[in-house]
Amino acid sequence: KVLMKLRKPRITATIWSSGKVICTGATSEEEAKFGARRLARSLQKLGFQVIFTDFKVVNVLAVCNMPFEIRLPEFTKNNRPHASYEPELHPAVCYRIKTLRATLQIFSTGSITVTG
């Protein structure tokens, strides 16, 4: 694979010999698509035959910090069908939202990581 970085928008592209390209680092869907198009144009200028097809957003990551601590055992007890907490395995509560296909990792410090 080859790594290629763009400065504007600030993305990193991983390019495989099969032709598959993965862009990471964008802060919005529009920025990701614009960066992928710029990357395709750069590869065309280098002499490769590039066709921009099958663009889709596969994964999203967001992080936030609450200004307070979260009591994980109580949180899990009150949100039992969606939340699971195994302190021996992982220090965070895993809260799954099936309708959005998102998973939240909620830490006792108030830090929350959303993936989906």
Side-chain angles (χ1 to χ4, degrees), residues 27-93:
T27 56
S28 68
E29 186 175 355
E30 294 81 26
E31 188 176 300
K33 192 167 188 174
F34 176 70
R37 286 194 172 279
R38 250 191 99 212
L39 180 74
R41 181 67 63 202
S42 297
L43 291 172
Q44 283 176 345
K45 288 180 180 178
L46 290 173
F48 294 99
Q49 286 189 336
V50 178
I51 301 171
F52 190 81
T53 59
D54 298 332
F55 176 83
K56 63 181 175 179
V57 175
V58 177
N59 197 3
V60 177
L61 174 69
V63 178
C64 71
N65 291 311
M66 297 296 166
F68 50 83
E69 292 184 356
I70 301 170
R71 295 185 191 101
L72 297 183
E74 294 173 20
F75 178 84
T76 305
K77 185 178 176 185
N78 293 336
N79 298 287
R80 184 45 80 180
H82 303 289
S84 66
Y85 179 51
E86 296 291 334
E88 296 86 13
L89 301 176
H90 190 60
V93 170

